[in-house]
Amino acid sequence: MRTGTRSKKLFQRAQRYLVGGVNSPVRSFRGVGKDYPMFISRAKGSKIYDVDGNQYVDYVCSWGASILGSAYPAVVKRVKAATARGLSYGAATAQECDLAERIQKSMPSLELLRLVSSGTEATMSAVRVARAYTRKNKIIKFDGCYHGHADTFLVRGGSGLATFSLADSAGVPNSTASETLVAKFNDLGSVSGLLSKNKDQIAAVIVEPVAGNMGVVPPESDFLSGLRRFCDESEVLLIFDEVITGFRVARGGAQELYNLKPDLTCLGKVIGGGMNMAAYGGRKDIMEFVSPLGPVYQAGTLAGNPLAVASGIATLDALTKNAYSKLENRSKELEEGLVGTANEAGINLVTQRVGSMIGIFFFNSKDGREMPKIRSYDDVKDFCSKEQYAKFFGEMLDQRIYLAPSAFETTFVSLAHSESDVSKTIRAAEKTFQQMKK
Ligand SMILES: *Cc1c(COP(=O)(O)O)cnc(C)c1O
């Protein structure tokens, strides 16, 4: 059992002041059936430490942001130096150029870009620009993709053959939800259907090019290029939400990996290296719609914050070509180790991986079905067990391996994860699977 006296006490205290004791719902560990989450005291490299003095191998990596591992010396040094020059000016700086230049060089489709403070801001703003540019209001998103918490995106498809959309959160007006149409990931037919039913009304299709918020679901070979073709044919903008995949699956993100050019791209997570940094950008003629050049208003007091910019620059500078092959190899070792161990133990675990993004699924084999490839959120809901994942999470945590505290998230490998971290993880998995069989 984990010893969590201090975390437990802190959670009681936190609940007096903070909604549910946390500042983002997944942190409560409710999704994995825990009474209280661990409270973190610090993190270094591949390790994260709780207030009770336990050390864990960290596969959350601040939800993918900490690709170099925590407290990477060059990042800390640059951020420290920046603090001495003032924490925020709300005015233009040379360093913002340095970061934007690095982003554009790696992702040339971002001919012009704007720095913002969160992925939510990036996607929300990209959609606003797309609506202004196309003079159309509706957007298409995919079931199981997450684009932050703006009203526009908190929408799910109606069940079965329903053609309407439903708000996926209280407080989202039906009028807003009705502007968002929901298609099925890896299903071009569902997209062409929505496009033809809503002719001349769709401003944009927004997609996570590698879905990372329903486990990991890679795009099938013609899915993204099909979206590109449909968008071109219908004068609809294609938005890649690369908040996870940008500088993660390749330096140039999924658009480099699959050699495709979206009209607009959203970035976050890795480009801040653990600080509040995100961006949206794309075709010059579209981005020129943004204020002060154009009629789309979008602003931010802390946008391009000097500390976040410093962290972003130092992070991107450490991401050499060699870094991506290292990430690939380490991630492959982990994936193969987990699958091999699960097979030996007779556990129905399936992984799907793109680079250092690993999706871990437990097959729900209640009717003796074969586990298919997970291609969409329907498959995730149909075939994968949250309960099994919760067990897995709990047992792994007891053995000091920290995985995402919710099923259907991405397991992230960082450059700080060592061979011994991976073998420790696999040993823990071996024990865990024995427990799960009981
Ligand atoms: C995390 C995430 C967001 C939202 O970013 P925040 O910084 O949490 O607002 C948007 N899109 C994707 C794909 C994400 O994973």
Side-chain angles (χ1 to χ4, degrees):
M1 270 307 292
R2 93 194 143 112
T3 43
T5 337
R6 284 192 177 148
S7 283
K8 196 172 177 178
K9 276 206 177 122
L10 271 173
F11 192 52
Q12 285 163 358
R13 184 174 155 223
Q15 284 169 299
R16 293 210 293 270
Y17 312 108
L18 295 167
V19 182
V22 291
N23 288 306
S24 200
V26 72
R27 296 180 196 172
S28 70
F29 285 27
R30 277 192 192 206
V32 283
K34 293 275 172 197
D35 297 336
Y36 61 94
M38 58 200 203
F39 277 62
I40 305 304
S41 57
R42 66 194 175 94
K44 173 80 188 157
S46 60
K47 307 299 189 304
I48 193 163
Y49 300 82
D50 69 16
V51 290
D52 290 288
N54 299 306
Q55 182 203 70
Y56 304 82
V57 181
D58 176 18
Y59 290 107
V60 179
C61 298
S62 190
W63 302 96
S66 306
I67 195 169
L68 307 175
S70 289
Y72 188 80
V75 175
V76 171
K77 190 173 165 207
R78 196 159 186 139
V79 172
K80 261 191 184 162
T83 58
R85 294 191 296 268
L87 302 187
S88 176
Y89 326 120
T93 66
Q95 288 76 23
E96 290 171 314
C97 286
D98 295 336
L99 179 60
E101 192 171 56
R102 281 164 172 77
I103 292 172
Q104 196 199 69
K105 220 171 161 188
S106 302
M107 300 180 113
S109 80
L110 284 87
E111 294 166 1
L112 274 180
L113 62 99
R114 168 66 56 86
L115 300 180
V116 292
S117 300
S118 71
T120 295
E121 260 189 281
T123 53
M124 181 181 78
S125 309
V127 164
R128 186 180 304 142
V129 176
R131 285 173 165 156
Y133 181 85
T134 59
R135 297 168 184 261
K136 297 185 279 189
N137 284 337
K138 291 187 176 168
I139 64 156
I140 295 177
K141 67 154 283 198
F142 293 88
D143 202 17
C145 283
Y146 178 69
H147 304 292
H149 67 82
D151 286 2
T152 317
F153 302 113
L154 295 180
V155 170
R156 63 191 152 90
S159 57
L161 297 173
T163 51
F164 51 89
S165 306
L166 302 166
D168 209 10
S169 161
V172 174
N174 285 330
S175 56
T176 303
S178 70
E179 305 281 16
T180 301
L181 310 174
V182 183
K184 190 169 161 181
F185 197 79
N186 275 327
D187 182 348
L188 286 172
S190 72
V191 181
S192 60
L194 288 175
L195 283 170
S196 61
K197 259 189 226 132
N198 297 273
K199 212 168 159 27
D200 301 325
Q201 296 178 68
I202 313 279
V205 172
I206 184 165
V207 66
E208 285 180 78
V210 176
N213 286 285
M214 48 170 155
V216 174
V217 181
E220 292 187 340
S221 64
D222 56 350
F223 178 59
L224 296 174
S225 57
L227 292 183
R228 180 67 277 177
R229 192 173 67 251
F230 286 168
C231 285
D232 289 340
E233 286 164 2
S234 322
E235 289 173 30
V236 169
L237 299 185
L238 179 59
I239 306 175
F240 274 8
D241 179 350
E242 298 226 44
V243 169
I244 290 182
T245 54
F247 293 89
R248 162 69 61 181
V249 296
R251 185 157 172 109
Q255 52 198 275
E256 178 190 307
L257 190 64
Y258 301 111
N259 191 26
L260 278 166
K261 203 171 163 188
D263 300 299
L264 294 170
T265 298
C266 304
L267 297 170
K269 299 193 170 108
V270 172
I271 65 161
M275 288 204 61
N276 331 34
M277 172 57 63
Y280 68 101
R283 265 167 51 192
K284 187 162 181 278
D285 63 320
I286 301 171
M287 287 303 290
E288 280 176 347
F289 269 63
V290 178
S291 185
L293 295 182
V296 175
Y297 190 70
Q298 185 273 305
T301 303
L302 293 177
N305 172 264
L307 307 192
V309 165
S311 173
I313 291 172
T315 300
L316 298 195
D317 284 353
L319 289 171
T320 57
K321 204 168 179 167
N322 186 33
Y324 290 96
S325 53
K326 197 174 158 197
L327 280 171
E328 168 66 28
N329 294 338
R330 192 69 79 232
S331 308
K332 192 160 179 256
E333 274 170 36
L334 177 61
E335 182 191 33
E336 287 175 352
L338 284 175
V339 172
T341 314
N343 283 345
E344 272 168 37
I347 294 279
N348 282 319
L349 173 141
V350 173
T351 55
Q352 300 196 140
R353 180 177 71 85
V354 178
S356 53
M357 296 171 66
I358 306 177
I360 297 176
F361 302 99
F362 289 92
F363 178 38
N364 186 354
S365 57
K366 52 178 187 284
D367 349 311
R369 302 173 296 184
E370 292 265 308
M371 176 78 158
K373 214 172 185 179
I374 302 298
R375 305 173 55 240
S376 70
Y377 194 50
D378 282 351
D379 291 346
V380 173
K381 285 184 294 191
D382 240 28
F383 292 103
C384 305
S385 166
K386 269 190 183 176
E387 293 70 31
Q388 289 272 95
Y389 182 85
K391 262 193 192 169
F392 179 63
F393 169 86
E395 293 289 340
M396 290 297 271
L397 196 69
D398 286 349
Q399 296 178 68
R400 308 296 183 256
I401 308 292
Y402 177 46
L403 296 158
S406 170
F408 316 146
E409 301 283 353
T410 297
T411 299
F412 289 105
V413 177
S414 80
L415 281 165
H417 285 94
S418 64
E419 223 173 297
S420 83
D421 288 329
V422 168
S423 44
K424 187 174 170 195
T425 306
I426 293 167
R427 278 199 307 276
E430 215 172 312
K431 272 197 192 161
T432 293
F433 294 145
Q434 295 309 328
Q435 282 301 117
M436 286 172 74
K437 291 288 278 187
K438 282 181 191 160

